[in-house]
Amino acid sequence: MKKLGYYKIAGIVFAIIFIIGAGFSLYAKNATTVSKEKSVILLKATDNQPEDYPTTKGLRYMAKLLEERSNGHIKMTVYSSAILGDGKDILDATQAGTLDIGRISVSSLVGYSPELNVFMTPFLFRDADHEWKVLDGPIGKKLLKGLEKDGFVGLGYYDSGARSFYSKKPIQSPQDLLGQKTRVLDVKIQKEMITAMGGEPLTTPFLDVYPGFQTGALDAAENSPPSFYSTKHYELAKYYTITEHVAVPETIIISKKTWDSLSPQDQELIQQATKDSTVYQKQLWSEFTKQSMDKLKEQGVNIITPNKELFKQAVAPLYAKYPEYKDLIKEIQDTK
């Protein structure tokens, strides 16, 4: 009887240990699952512009949205002022996956997706509203898709306004560019645009534009009002002619290596945060442009509103030189 009582007690103890052990095992399994669900994804993003620039602020707003909407699951740190490099540095790091997200101009991506070169075409867009219907629509998405083969996923576009001429002498028509040494983007069709207007295109490095005006190496250049103001080029070039001849958007790209490592739910969060930050960034850019124009006037810059049709007519023959973009240009121009 004593033996029987002993085995009975031992059995009960064993059962209790088994139940506790099973319960602990189940708890550990659930704890691991919860831990994985709540693991933090750390994303590194960069912009070569300073802290207070609209594109940098756009990325910071995107980071804020991601952290809020993911309940802290996705955190994005934004490095400004080219701390992590510029241009090719950003592209190389994003390709390699050592950088997750970069804000970079379309002009830097044409070597990877030649179709993006269409954005360099002068007078491609009727106005800003037309531009954003194209960028936000099927055409804009299709053009970004072409980057994936090179290790980038295009998340969307940011605004960088339209570029116009500024100069030492007034430019009222293309004839006023005749013989003028004009700094332009180092893009073939942009250089041909200046030549078509009678000017001499120069691809002077951006940091050398100010001394170029000082020494007489440059007579004119072109850029957006915020860039013209922030660089203080207005100190030497007192005329700003609103031709708005080209609008080169910015892009937000993410490393394909990073993208492929994310769950569909996290990808959707990032895509939506990009879209919402674009709306915010566009508003900032609009305000920034107005402030810059007001400050340029205060600095004595003469603002010229020319007949744009004269400039459009001067560069119209360029379209025939790029038959590979004929269908795409028509598709863009037909966008309502």
Side-chain angles (χ1 to χ4, degrees):
M1 291 294 291
K2 284 185 178 179
K3 272 190 175 181
L4 185 61
Y6 170 79
Y7 285 122
K8 189 175 181 181
I9 292 169
I12 291 169
V13 171
F14 178 77
I16 291 170
I17 292 171
F18 177 79
I19 291 168
I20 291 172
F24 180 78
S25 175
L26 181 62
Y27 169 79
K29 184 178 179 182
N30 287 340
T32 303
T33 303
V34 171
S35 175
K36 283 182 179 176
E37 286 174 358
K38 292 189 175 180
S39 62
V40 177
I41 294 173
L42 301 175
L43 298 176
K44 192 162 55 175
T46 190
D47 196 308
N48 64 357
Q49 296 290 356
E51 282 286 321
D52 60 348
Y53 203 76
T55 53
T56 308
K57 286 184 175 180
L59 285 181
R60 292 204 180 284
Y61 185 66
M62 178 181 166
K64 177 175 176 287
L65 294 179
L66 279 174
E67 186 161 358
E68 289 175 353
R69 293 173 180 177
S70 68
N71 295 316
H73 170 56
I74 302 175
K75 294 180 184 289
M76 185 171 102
T77 303
V78 179
Y79 297 87
S80 63
S81 306
I83 291 171
L84 300 183
D86 193 6
K88 192 172 186 304
D89 297 327
I90 293 174
L91 294 172
D92 289 346
T94 308
Q95 267 186 320
T98 55
L99 175 67
D100 300 300
I101 292 172
R103 193 284 308 156
I104 197 158
S105 172
V106 159
S107 62
S108 298
L109 291 167
V110 295
Y112 299 95
S113 184
E115 277 194 315
L116 286 170
N117 201 43
V118 74
F119 290 131
M120 307 297 132
T121 306
F123 301 106
L124 179 67
F125 302 116
R126 292 185 294 277
D127 50 34
D129 183 58
H130 177 219
E131 176 189 1
W132 283 99
K133 281 181 179 174
V134 172
L135 296 179
D136 290 337
I139 299 172
K141 291 181 175 68
K142 178 179 70 175
L143 292 174
L144 288 179
K145 195 75 177 170
L147 295 169
E148 293 188 16
K149 68 183 187 313
D150 291 300
F152 310 109
V153 173
L155 294 174
Y157 300 91
Y158 273 178
D159 199 355
S160 65
R163 301 170 76 96
S164 294
F165 291 109
Y166 52 91
S167 52
K168 290 181 176 179
K169 297 178 181 179
I171 296 173
Q172 301 276 5
S173 71
Q175 284 70 34
D176 293 324
L177 276 166
L178 190 65
Q180 296 291 291
K181 298 184 287 293
T182 307
R183 192 267 179 182
V184 73
L185 292 171
D186 191 7
V187 177
K188 186 182 177 188
I189 194 167
Q190 289 286 289
K191 290 183 279 188
E192 290 175 337
M193 173 188 73
I194 300 300
T195 301
M197 294 179 187
E200 180 185 339
L202 296 175
T203 56
T204 308
F206 191 61
L207 293 177
D208 293 338
V209 173
Y210 191 99
F213 276 115
Q214 281 180 314
T215 62
L218 286 175
D219 301 307
E222 47 87 63
N223 217 317
S224 65
S227 178
F228 180 39
Y229 177 74
S230 63
T231 55
K232 296 190 175 182
H233 291 173
Y234 62 81
E235 293 178 347
L236 302 167
K238 287 296 184 181
Y239 297 91
Y240 191 75
T241 304
I242 306 176
T243 51
E244 297 177 321
H245 49 269
V246 68
V248 182
E250 307 288 351
T251 59
I252 306 96
I253 56 173
I254 185 169
S255 169
K256 194 167 189 306
K257 290 184 178 180
T258 301
W259 186 253
D260 290 343
S261 72
L262 299 169
S263 70
Q265 292 81 5
D266 290 338
Q267 289 177 349
E268 176 59 30
L269 278 172
I270 291 170
Q271 196 71 72
Q272 189 59 48
T274 304
K275 185 177 179 181
D276 293 341
S277 76
T278 296
V279 176
Y280 175 74
Q281 190 271 339
K282 282 164 62 179
Q283 180 59 37
L284 290 179
W285 185 267
S286 177
E287 293 168 1
F288 193 41
T289 299
K290 185 181 182 307
Q291 290 167 6
S292 298
M293 288 295 285
D294 289 343
K295 289 174 181 176
L296 286 170
K297 291 173 185 175
E298 289 172 9
Q299 294 297 325
V301 173
N302 298 282
I303 308 298
I304 298 170
T305 305
N307 180 354
K308 289 185 186 180
E309 288 303 315
L310 297 176
F311 292 87
K312 288 180 183 179
Q313 290 167 13
V315 301
L318 290 182
Y319 283 63
K321 296 182 70 174
Y322 294 87
E324 64 269 35
Y325 300 128
K326 181 182 177 181
D327 293 340
L328 183 55
I329 289 173
K330 186 178 187 308
E331 195 178 348
I332 289 171
Q333 293 180 336
D334 286 347
T335 300
K336 304 298 182 187

